[in-house]
Amino acid sequence: MNAERDLTRLLAGMRPELAPGRYVFTTVAGPAPAGVAPVVTVTESEGLTLVVRQEEADAASLPYDYVAGWITLRIHSALDAVGLTAAVAGALTDAGMSCNVVAGFHHDHLFVEHARAEEALAVLERLAEGGDLQGRP
């Protein structure tokens, strides 16, 4: 399957999917602790950022202050595609929602406030349908 670059096709075909569970961002000085299986890692000069299931963070006594829902855009987006992140972030911004985006090789992954994850999913579904970003057809 070829990665998509056309913004219109990216938006129409993004098929957002909400993963079950609650995810948190935390940081550690060394490797991930035993029993913690990160879904995302980012190496920064300050430490290793981990995005993990909340229950794993709690079991390992890892600190966090943001609980997120994880939405995957199911379209295979090209890493050099232009505009998808901006369009998605803009739609969520218009709805008053924060969004932390992580690009994988095949898909884009969005971490949004867990309490509003279903609402974020609906915003993205309307965007994919070409509807108004404020929820009007």
Side-chain angles (χ1 to χ4, degrees):
M1 172 193 258
N2 290 332
E4 184 59 61
R5 287 178 176 79
D6 180 78
L7 181 57
T8 300
R9 288 194 295 265
L10 283 166
L11 292 172
M14 64 182 171
R15 300 182 329 272
E17 179 179 275
L18 178 61
R22 299 163 64 94
Y23 297 85
V24 299
F25 287 69
T26 190
T27 187
V28 295
V36 174
V39 298
V40 174
T41 62
V42 178
T43 302
E44 300 178 287
S45 61
E46 300 87 352
L48 181 65
T49 296
L50 309 172
V51 180
V52 300
R53 288 183 160 279
Q54 184 180 19
E55 58 268 21
E56 291 178 11
D58 290 342
S61 298
L62 295 172
Y64 57 86
D65 59 10
Y66 178 75
V67 180
W70 176 11
I71 298 173
T72 299
L73 304 182
R74 301 303 309 168
I75 192 158
H76 182 183
S77 56
L79 290 168
D80 62 351
V82 175
L84 179 61
T85 301
V88 166
L92 294 172
T93 295
D94 289 347
M97 293 183 218
S98 67
C99 176
N100 295 278
V101 180
V102 177
F105 185 84
H106 291 96
H107 305 287
D108 290 284
H109 305 272
L110 316 175
F111 292 89
V112 299
E113 181 183 356
H114 185 268
R116 298 186 71 190
E118 291 285 346
E119 183 183 353
L121 185 65
V123 167
L124 297 172
E125 289 170 343
R126 284 192 300 274
L127 179 61
E129 293 166 2
D132 181 85
L133 302 184
Q134 296 300 320
R136 296 177 295 272

